[in-house]
Amino acid sequence: MSKKLTLLAVSIASVIGLGATNTAYAAVSADELANAIAKQEAEIAALKEQLQQLAQQQSLQHESQKQIEVAQHEQQVAVKEVTETVTASQDRLSKFSFKSYGSANYTSDEYFDNVQDTTPERRSRFDLERIVTEFGYQFTDEWSMEVEIEYEHGGTGAALEYDGFDEFGEFETETEAGGEVVVEKAEIRYRPSDAFGVKFGNIHLPIGLTSSLHKPNQYLTVLRHKSEAAMIPAVWNENGIGVYGEISEFHYQAQIVSGLNSEYFRTYDWVASGHQTRFEHVNADDLAFAGRLDYGNFKTGSAIGVSYYYGNTSGNRNKSNKLDVDGTLSIVTAAAAFVEGPWVLRGQYMYGTLSDSDAITQANKTTPGLRPGNFAQLGSKSQAFFIEAGFKLDDYFDIPMTVFANIDYSNPLMEVESGTATKRYENTWSSVGVNYFPIPEIVIKVEGGLQQVAVASIPDTNFFALGVGYQFSL
């Protein structure tokens, strides 16, 4: 019995002990679970906060990246715009051209006071002969323009000149084309091919070699050829339109231009003074034709060529009621050049006729303000020529120098309509000289020579000239 009670007590105690143990285990698991849950919740909250921070960072990074992309795009656009601007500017600049040439001279000549004087007096002069600027622009492959402005004799304004050969040694005041600043060319060109082009505006006439060879390095003498200056306007330019082109080795030009004004034709330079540069407006009642055909290129080497000019001159007179004849002018020239190795040979012959020369002379005598003088004659025929020969020393002495000889001849009174033509204006200039090129863009010239008048009582005179010229292009 006692054993049974004891065993029962032990069993009851065991059960009671086991329940207590399970209860303890249950209590520990709940606390741990609560703690674990709280810990997990804290970790989840921390993770949420981290996620929020990360999201904010990502948002900031995204916004920053977006700003960077916008800035990069703006920078790319700006760079593109700058590049396009620079390219366009470079393209425009490449279409622009600038050229310039000029010369300054010292001369020592023996002068006659007037046409009756037979005792010359030596006089020396300095002259800033000309500064020329040329501006060009190539609009397209076909269209271009060029403007050439010449500043003559270093000044502007009125000029006081002494004229001993037409008005018995009088002084006269002239304002020349607004003060010796002259637009020598202002032309627009359309040239779709080498064979054909059109130019219009104020254009150079292709009459005489000086029209092509007027820069200091293109002629050998210190001054441009006197023979041309005694017949036609120097570097003759008129308003008009012309066609031109190159076919094989042939170069052609044909122009319709404003004509000359016979009011200013003179004994000593024939029709040269009839150039209408002294007036604001150019009379165009009489137009003229000018043409030229060359084989080869006078500017770059050997060539031969002819030119022709034809037009009336009385219609352009300001006092048109003083003359009722045409005063038809025609000029023909023939020229040749041989430029090979050390040799430079050039020559030109000019011949011209003027109808109604006596009527023009009489009309000019009675036009107020002109007063050409009672002695004045105007040639019905005129002629002139020059020959120049140069030899380059470069290949023989390693000196950039050319020695030359030159002859200029002019007779603006070759024939007259009535009476006997005076020989007083028939002149021959013979000279020798040197061209020295310290650099290719600069030439220094020295020339000395003899001037002869075809009148026995007029003594021969000597002249000396020293000049410097430049030319360049951009």
Side-chain angles (χ1 to χ4, degrees), residues 107-163:
T107 57
S108 176
D109 298 89
E110 294 180 87
Y111 290 90
F112 298 92
D113 282 342
N114 52 58
V115 292
Q116 289 81 24
D117 185 19
T118 58
T119 305
E121 177 186 3
R122 180 164 294 280
R123 301 298 300 271
S124 299
R125 296 177 177 177
F126 285 103
D127 182 19
L128 181 56
E129 186 179 21
R130 62 180 54 88
I131 299 293
V132 179
T133 55
E134 301 178 17
F135 305 89
Y137 192 78
Q138 191 77 33
F139 298 103
T140 65
D141 291 340
E142 294 85 14
W143 289 95
S144 64
M145 67 165 293
E146 185 174 355
V147 176
E148 182 175 319
I149 302 174
E150 178 171 345
Y151 306 85
E152 297 178 347
H153 309 298
T156 61
L160 181 65
E161 299 179 351
Y162 177 77
D163 189 344

Side-chain angles (χ1 to χ4, degrees), residues 1-179:
M1 185 69 173
S2 58
K3 288 183 178 180
K4 290 181 180 179
L5 290 172
T6 302
L7 183 57
L8 180 60
V10 171
S11 298
I12 293 170
S14 297
V15 171
I16 294 171
L18 181 59
T21 301
N22 290 335
T23 302
Y25 285 157
V28 170
S29 297
D31 290 340
E32 289 179 350
L33 182 59
N35 290 336
I37 291 172
K39 185 177 180 181
Q40 289 296 324
E41 289 177 346
E43 291 178 352
I44 290 171
L47 287 173
K48 287 181 177 181
E49 185 176 355
Q50 290 177 0
L51 287 172
Q52 290 177 352
Q53 292 177 353
L54 182 60
Q56 290 176 355
Q57 291 177 358
Q58 288 179 342
S59 177
L60 291 174
Q61 289 177 353
H62 179 72
E63 185 66 25
S64 177
Q65 182 66 29
K66 186 176 180 180
Q67 293 177 353
I68 291 172
E69 290 177 354
V70 171
Q72 288 177 342
H73 177 71
E74 292 176 349
Q75 184 178 13
Q76 290 174 353
V77 171
V79 169
K80 183 179 179 181
E81 290 177 351
V82 170
T83 302
E84 290 176 350
T85 301
V86 171
T87 302
S89 177
Q90 290 176 342
D91 185 54
R92 286 194 296 269
L93 186 61
S94 67
K95 295 180 178 180
F96 175 82
S97 65
F98 176 78
K99 301 177 183 179
S100 180
Y101 69 90
S103 58
N105 304 316
Y106 165 82
T107 57
S108 176
D109 298 89
E110 294 180 87
Y111 290 90
F112 298 92
D113 282 342
N114 52 58
V115 292
Q116 289 81 24
D117 185 19
T118 58
T119 305
E121 177 186 3
R122 180 164 294 280
R123 301 298 300 271
S124 299
R125 296 177 177 177
F126 285 103
D127 182 19
L128 181 56
E129 186 179 21
R130 62 180 54 88
I131 299 293
V132 179
T133 55
E134 301 178 17
F135 305 89
Y137 192 78
Q138 191 77 33
F139 298 103
T140 65
D141 291 340
E142 294 85 14
W143 289 95
S144 64
M145 67 165 293
E146 185 174 355
V147 176
E148 182 175 319
I149 302 174
E150 178 171 345
Y151 306 85
E152 297 178 347
H153 309 298
T156 61
L160 181 65
E161 299 179 351
Y162 177 77
D163 189 344
F165 281 80
D166 210 23
E167 298 182 6
F168 294 101
E170 294 184 3
F171 288 94
E172 56 184 19
T173 301
E174 294 183 354
T175 300
E176 300 179 350

Side-chain angles (χ1 to χ4, degrees), residues 21 83 218 242 322 345 401:
T21 301
T83 302
Q218 294 176 327
K322 299 290 293 185
L345 302 173
M401 182 180 293

Side-chain angles (χ1 to χ4, degrees), residues 400-461:
M401 182 180 293
T402 300
V403 295
F404 73 89
N406 178 77
I407 296 177
D408 267 277
Y409 168 86
S410 71
N411 186 6
L413 288 170
M414 180 181 177
E415 287 186 16
V416 293
E417 278 190 343
S418 62
T420 303
T422 177
K423 298 290 186 180
R424 183 62 183 83
Y425 302 97
E426 184 178 352
N427 291 281
T428 303
W429 298 268
S430 306
S431 64
V432 294
V434 173
N435 288 189
Y436 172 65
F437 293 84
I439 60 175
E441 295 82 5
I442 294 177
V443 59
I444 299 171
K445 300 183 177 184
V446 180
E447 181 182 10
L450 181 71
Q451 179 178 355
Q452 297 170 294
V453 181
V455 176
S457 60
I458 302 295
D460 297 343
T461 59

Side-chain angles (χ1 to χ4, degrees), residues 332-352:
V332 61
T333 76
F338 175 78
V339 181
E340 191 71 33
W343 290 101
V344 178
L345 302 173
R346 297 190 189 97
Q348 174 177 259
Y349 177 76
M350 306 181 69
Y351 173 80

Side-chain angles (χ1 to χ4, degrees), residues 237-434:
N237 62 306
E238 297 284 2
N239 297 288
I241 186 170
V243 296
Y244 66 103
E246 176 183 350
I247 301 174
S248 186
E249 292 295 318
F250 289 93
H251 299 76
Y252 71 90
Q253 296 188 60
Q255 302 171 354
I256 299 297
V257 296
S258 53
L260 297 177
N261 179 351
S262 64
E263 281 174 326
Y264 291 89
F265 291 173
R266 291 293 182 266
T267 305
Y268 51 85
D269 63 0
W270 203 45
V271 301
S273 296
H275 197 200
Q276 299 186 70
T277 57
R278 53 177 52 83
F279 298 105
E280 292 182 356
H281 303 285
V282 174
N283 295 328
D285 295 288
D286 278 340
L287 300 178
F289 168 81
R292 186 177 190 92
L293 179 64
D294 293 336
Y295 179 76
N297 193 326
F298 282 99
K299 289 185 177 181
T300 59
S302 301
I304 57 173
V306 294
S307 65
Y308 180 68
Y309 176 94
Y310 182 87
N312 293 340
T313 62
S314 298
N316 292 332
R317 296 172 67 93
N318 294 289
K319 292 284 186 179
S320 57
N321 61 340
K322 299 290 293 185
L323 196 62
D324 59 358
V325 295
D326 291 333
T328 304
L329 173 66
S330 65
I331 303 170
V332 61
T333 76
F338 175 78
V339 181
E340 191 71 33
W343 290 101
V344 178
L345 302 173
R346 297 190 189 97
Q348 174 177 259
Y349 177 76
M350 306 181 69
Y351 173 80
T353 63
L354 176 66
S355 71
D356 312 304
S357 59
D358 279 355
I360 294 172
T361 300
Q362 293 302 319
N364 289 352
K365 285 181 180 181
T366 57
T367 298
L370 295 183
R371 300 170 303 170
N374 294 329
F375 63 89
Q377 291 178 297
L378 193 58
S380 59
K381 293 183 180 180
S382 176
Q383 67 175 349
F385 71 82
F386 79 82
I387 299 173
E388 63 178 9
F391 186 83
K392 300 178 182 179
L393 304 180
D394 307 44
D395 296 337
Y396 296 89
F397 301 101
D398 195 25
I399 301 175
M401 182 180 293
T402 300
V403 295
F404 73 89
N406 178 77
I407 296 177
D408 267 277
Y409 168 86
S410 71
N411 186 6
L413 288 170
M414 180 181 177
E415 287 186 16
V416 293
E417 278 190 343
S418 62
T420 303
T422 177
K423 298 290 186 180
R424 183 62 183 83
Y425 302 97
E426 184 178 352
N427 291 281
T428 303
W429 298 268
S430 306
S431 64
V432 294
V434 173

